[in-house]
Amino acid sequence: MGNAISAYSLNDFQLVYNLVSLAVAAMLGTFVFLIFQRRSVAPAYRTAITISMVVLFIAAYHYLRIFDSWVEQLDGVLPFNEGYRYVDWLITVPLLLAELVLVLRLDKGKTKSLITRLAVASILMIALGYPGEMSPNGSTARIVWGIVSLIPFLYILYVLFVEMTKSLDDQPAGIKPIVSGLRWIILITWSFYPIAYFIPVIDGGVTGDVIRQSGYSIADILAKPAFCLLVYLIARRKSEADNFSEAA
Amino acid sequence: MGNAISAYSLNDFQLVYNLVSLAVAAMLGTFVFLIFQRRSVAPAYRTAITISMVVLFIAAYHYLRIFDSWVEQLDGVLPFNEGYRYVDWLITVPLLLAELVLVLRLDKGKTKSLITRLAVASILMIALGYPGEMSPNGSTARIVWGIVSLIPFLYILYVLFVEMTKSLDDQPAGIKPIVSGLRWIILITWSFYPIAYFIPVIDGGVTGDVIRQSGYSIADILAKPAFCLLVYLIARRKSEADNFSEAA
């Protein structure tokens, strides 16, 4: 819960607005790309691609809602609805984690146990962050819920990093550097979220809010469209390694 | 940043509005064409066609936003948002350059190096043009940022022209004239952009703004739908030269 929109300058307002619009374009553009490229990967990887498409479609929907909510607060009837981001994450984060595990193609028991643990941890992370997000910028509640939510956040990153490192030996030669790079990309892009969350604790004014909103939008662009394109690239390279080629 | 909308005559206002609407129709029409013709080219060219589709879809989204923003400025709540064009170019220009390189089918190392250099130069070009575009019509800032942005602009055209000329020898006989013509079409259509950008320096009034907005819309119609159809034509002719025919 941030400052009233009347406190924003036109530049501040438009920066958030343009980044939200960029997020819509990135989600929809990647969604369109995957619709038509889905059959360019072997059938074994297509479920992961479909999950990407679901994530991008749901995120595009929420970013369209965020865009409208951001503009409509100018009417003074309703405040900006921060809830859209949390509802979006509640659905898309477990899906993104599941597709990552699927594309790594670990053994069945491992896959199931990983997806379950990561899904539970991500739902906890988001549910615990939400009450803090709805608290005023400098409040103790924002700090306390934020710290509690960091526990499942760090657990997820730890599990992902360890498991992806372990899986490196089983990946075909051409894919190793991509999977290895992906570990770091996940670490870096995910770190945007706690930074954006805690910025209003340091700067409770409009600048803090603008950084938070912009930070979340940029993080979502990296963690969804950019991440889904990397998953596609891994699936495409693995398909090529299996001598798969698209039908005429 | 141009003149207030209250300074426009109805004719001026409607000329921009109708050209923006024409751009929406051209983007969506070409998008629909490629959806259904994608499988008429050999699998090797389909990624380039998909990239065209992503570009056209993202551009259609932005032209719909531009259309709404152009009309909504009449309410006097928010000014026209020039940012949409730059956000659009930031995504679509690197993609258009990448698909052009892909359809030329140069060797792998060359392809990767060209796409990287062209993507970096195009992002620089757009990022440097933006602060100038947001400056008043006759300002020094518009001139200086414009000139700085011309450096990566000229670099891109130079690299494209040289590389496309070099690739002519490797193109099948029937495709040579198309690739050769495409070099000139790129040079001519891209030259619309700096002209549109600098017009408000010469004419700071409404006429300058109308020429700029119309110029950008016409340039985008040439550089996106028209360009993507030429890329399709090259892919189709090359597929025929490889004796490819679509499955029944």
Side-chain angles (χ1 to χ4, degrees):
Chain A
M1 216 172 75
N3 290 275
I5 194 66
S6 53
Y8 281 67
S9 73
L10 181 62
N11 274 346
D12 290 333
F13 179 84
Q14 283 191 327
L15 178 62
V16 173
Y17 169 95
N18 281 325
L19 280 172
V20 168
S21 177
L22 170 63
V24 173
M27 304 297 169
L28 288 179
T30 315
F31 176 69
V32 167
F33 180 81
L34 293 179
I35 289 178
F36 296 100
Q37 291 300 107
R38 182 175 171 277
R39 292 175 71 87
S40 73
V41 304
Y45 302 106
R46 289 185 189 158
T47 303
I49 301 299
T50 305
I51 296 176
S52 279
M53 288 162 57
V54 171
V55 164
L56 293 162
F57 188 84
I58 291 176
Y61 164 76
H62 284 117
Y63 267 92
L64 285 167
R65 287 276 188 226
I66 289 171
F67 185 90
D68 286 349
S69 178
W70 188 252
V71 175
E72 282 162 11
Q73 61 181 331
L74 293 174
D75 301 340
V77 179
L78 286 171
F80 175 61
N81 179 19
E82 205 72 64
Y84 289 131
R85 293 197 186 278
Y86 281 78
V87 175
D88 180 73
W89 293 335
L90 202 61
I91 313 177
T92 58
V93 176
L95 289 176
L96 284 167
L97 294 170
E99 84 173 74
L100 175 63
V101 175
L102 285 179
V103 90
L104 291 176
R105 286 180 79 67
L106 313 168
D107 67 73
K108 281 214 169 172
K110 189 88 187 173
T111 299
K112 206 175 161 185
S113 128
L114 266 178
I115 290 182
T116 312
R117 282 187 287 151
L118 292 171
V120 170
S122 59
I123 289 168
L124 267 177
M125 168 181 82
I126 294 151
L128 293 168
Y130 180 72
E133 193 75 86
M134 301 313 269
S135 308
N137 279 351
S139 62
T140 314
R142 173 172 282 269
I143 301 173
V144 172
W145 287 111
I147 291 172
V148 176
S149 164
L150 270 178
I151 301 168
F153 172 86
L154 293 171
Y155 171 78
I156 294 169
L157 286 186
Y158 170 79
V159 170
L160 279 185
F161 203 87
V162 168
E163 292 300 333
M164 289 178 77
T165 306
K166 270 197 236 161
S167 89
L168 277 181
D169 289 338
D170 302 328
Q171 305 296 333
I175 289 98
K176 257 183 213 169
I178 307 178
V179 175
S180 169
L182 192 58
R183 292 180 307 176
W184 295 104
I185 290 169
I186 292 173
L187 269 191
I188 294 164
T189 61
W190 277 51
S191 68
F192 273 65
Y193 291 102
I195 294 172
Y197 178 96
F198 283 111
I199 280 286
V201 174
I202 300 160
D203 181 342
V206 166
T207 306
D209 282 336
V210 169
I211 296 175
R212 179 163 56 104
Q213 294 301 340
S214 309
Y216 281 151
S217 301
I218 294 169
D220 274 346
I221 292 170
L222 295 171
K224 288 176 183 138
F227 175 83
C228 289
L229 286 176
L230 278 171
V231 167
Y232 168 77
L233 200 64
I234 293 175
R236 181 84 189 252
R237 290 267 185 286
K238 284 191 168 189
S239 303
E240 282 164 6
D242 300 345
N243 289 317
F244 169 83
S245 65
E246 193 178 344
Chain B
M1 217 173 74
N3 291 275
I5 194 65
S6 53
Y8 280 67
S9 72
L10 182 60
N11 274 345
D12 289 334
F13 179 83
Q14 284 191 325
L15 177 61
V16 172
Y17 171 93
N18 283 324
L19 280 172
V20 168
S21 178
L22 171 63
V24 173
M27 304 297 169
L28 288 179
T30 315
F31 176 69
V32 168
F33 178 81
L34 293 180
I35 289 178
F36 295 100
Q37 290 301 107
R38 180 175 173 278
R39 290 175 72 87
S40 73
V41 304
Y45 302 105
R46 290 187 188 157
T47 304
I49 302 298
T50 305
I51 296 176
S52 280
M53 289 162 58
V54 171
V55 165
L56 293 162
F57 189 85
I58 289 178
Y61 164 76
H62 283 118
Y63 267 92
L64 286 167
R65 287 278 190 222
I66 288 171
F67 185 90
D68 286 348
S69 178
W70 188 252
V71 175
E72 283 163 9
Q73 62 181 330
L74 294 174
D75 301 340
V77 179
L78 287 173
F80 175 62
N81 179 19
E82 204 73 63
Y84 288 131
R85 293 198 186 278
Y86 282 78
V87 173
D88 179 71
W89 293 335
L90 203 61
I91 313 176
T92 58
V93 176
L95 289 177
L96 285 167
L97 294 170
E99 80 173 79
L100 175 62
V101 174
L102 285 178
V103 90
L104 291 177
R105 285 183 80 67
L106 312 168
D107 68 73
K108 279 213 171 173
K110 189 87 190 172
T111 299
K112 208 175 161 184
S113 129
L114 267 177
I115 290 182
T116 312
R117 282 188 286 152
L118 293 171
V120 171
S122 59
I123 289 168
L124 267 177
M125 170 181 81
I126 294 152
L128 293 169
Y130 182 71
E133 193 74 87
M134 300 314 271
S135 308
N137 280 351
S139 64
T140 315
R142 173 172 281 268
I143 301 172
V144 172
W145 286 110
I147 290 172
V148 176
S149 163
L150 271 178
I151 301 169
F153 173 85
L154 292 172
Y155 171 78
I156 294 169
L157 287 186
Y158 170 79
V159 170
L160 280 186
F161 203 86
V162 168
E163 292 300 334
M164 289 179 77
T165 306
K166 269 197 238 162
S167 88
L168 278 180
D169 289 338
D170 302 329
Q171 304 297 333
I175 289 99
K176 259 183 214 171
I178 308 178
V179 174
S180 169
L182 192 57
R183 293 179 307 176
W184 295 104
I185 290 170
I186 292 173
L187 270 191
I188 294 164
T189 62
W190 277 50
S191 67
F192 272 67
Y193 291 102
I195 294 173
Y197 178 96
F198 282 112
I199 281 286
V201 175
I202 300 161
D203 180 341
V206 166
T207 307
D209 282 337
V210 169
I211 296 175
R212 179 164 56 104
Q213 293 299 341
S214 309
Y216 281 152
S217 300
I218 294 168
D220 274 346
I221 292 170
L222 294 172
K224 288 176 181 136
F227 175 84
C228 289
L229 286 176
L230 278 171
V231 166
Y232 168 76
L233 200 64
I234 293 175
R236 181 80 188 255
R237 290 269 184 284
K238 284 191 168 189
S239 303
E240 285 163 2
D242 299 345
N243 289 317
F244 168 83
S245 63
E246 192 177 349

